[in-house]
Amino acid sequence: MLVLALDLTSRKKALEIVEKTKDFIDAIKVNYPIVLSCGIGIVKELSKVKPVIADFKIADIPYTSSLIAEIAFKNGANAVICHGFVGRDVLKEILRVAENYDGKVYVVTELTNDGAKEFMKPFARKIAEIAKEIGCHGLIAPATKPERVKEVREVAKNLEILSPGIGVQKGKLEEIAKYVDGIIVGRSIYNADDPKKAAREIKERFRKAKLTS
Ligand code: BMP
């Protein structure tokens, strides 16, 4: 699975990129840049082309988190991404909303950036355990830290794992492929001279890496 991280602020450019890459991507991940620039309506628009993962990294009290999830699903998102460090009451509330829409909930265990080791790393394993225990659908784990993805896979068992950080952030696709179900890629695709070719090549690299791992 190749998820396109569509962190663009222009609706026109975003739709162009999706049109060019749609044969090679399996889902579109939207984050604050596109939704704050183009409005929540962009989710419905994109969902007509591919399933949309609303990456709002929800991290609030249960009530507010449930409102955010509700807005995402009501507007056509297939899945939401939330932070795990907020604890199980928040995750359960988001799951409750997701069930009403047959939607999925992905939980971030630890971010790809270096600074994540300061606070997130010590809790990543526990977050994965809780997400699994309460029935979340998947986890987001960092391609920049293959040993962390390996550990998350051990805990997650059959839970879906999506991994961002390939390309500009120098994540190690070949090393993480065997542990993950999908990769999330943004700039290496939408900033490429030929986004279609870039998406095709990354998808092929991932497929090969999975086959040989
Ligand atoms: P890029 O391939 O351009 O680096 O984009 C990565 C995408 O994945 C961005 O949307 C970013 O917000 C997201 N992401 C990440 O990079 N690291 C994480 O740990 C979690 C993310 O969701």
Side-chain angles (χ1 to χ4, degrees):
M1 177 173 181
L2 172 60
V3 179
L4 173 65
L6 201 55
D7 294 324
L8 294 167
T9 53
S10 148
R11 176 180 167 274
K12 184 169 174 282
K13 172 100 197 273
L15 295 177
E16 269 169 29
I17 295 288
V18 168
E19 187 53 37
K20 284 180 183 158
T21 58
K22 67 180 182 201
D23 293 343
F24 304 102
I25 60 171
D26 302 286
I28 302 166
K29 184 177 83 65
V30 296
N31 198 332
Y32 291 107
I34 192 163
V35 172
L36 294 178
S37 306
C38 306
I40 190 75
I42 192 75
V43 175
K44 188 143 282 161
E45 205 165 356
L46 294 169
S47 72
K48 289 179 186 144
V49 189
K50 291 285 163 179
V52 174
I53 301 174
D55 178 12
F56 297 145
K57 297 216 172 56
I58 310 173
D60 214 309
I61 58 166
Y63 174 68
T64 314
S65 294
S66 75
L67 290 182
I68 298 168
E70 183 86 42
I71 291 166
F73 287 121
K74 204 188 283 175
N75 281 281
N78 240 61
V80 294
I81 297 179
C82 54
H83 267 301
F85 61 73
V86 284
R88 77 182 75 211
D89 56 347
V90 174
L91 300 182
K92 279 186 178 167
E93 191 57 9
I94 296 171
L95 271 172
R96 186 189 62 73
V97 175
E99 269 166 27
N100 295 337
Y101 293 89
D102 236 352
K104 286 184 175 183
V105 177
Y106 292 96
V107 181
V108 177
T109 54
E110 174 182 347
L111 290 170
T112 44
N113 63 311
D114 207 35
K117 64 174 177 277
E118 293 175 60
F119 298 106
M120 301 188 87
K121 186 179 172 197
F123 301 103
R125 192 183 176 93
K126 181 83 182 158
I127 288 171
E129 280 168 6
I130 289 176
K132 175 147 182 68
E133 180 194 316
I134 67 174
C136 294
H137 305 86
L139 301 167
I140 308 292
T144 49
K145 304 164 194 174
E147 73 292 351
R148 311 293 301 138
V149 183
K150 180 172 186 272
E151 187 179 341
V152 166
R153 172 50 79 203
E154 280 160 18
V155 177
K157 306 266 184 326
N158 59 344
L159 231 60
E160 211 180 305
I161 299 181
L162 300 180
S163 197
I166 305 295
V168 178
Q169 297 182 62
K170 301 191 167 39
K172 302 183 173 66
L173 191 150
E174 276 70 23
E175 287 180 44
I176 55 115
K178 60 173 168 289
Y179 307 120
V180 308
D181 304 279
I183 50 172
I184 298 173
V185 184
R187 287 166 288 180
S188 300
I189 295 176
Y190 63 72
N191 283 342
D193 291 336
D194 185 343
K196 182 175 182 171
K197 182 165 169 266
R200 188 178 56 227
E201 285 175 0
I202 290 170
K203 181 116 190 222
E204 185 54 17
R205 237 181 95 195
F206 182 53
R207 197 186 64 80
K208 277 196 186 139
K210 277 210 85 72
L211 278 177
T212 54
S213 62

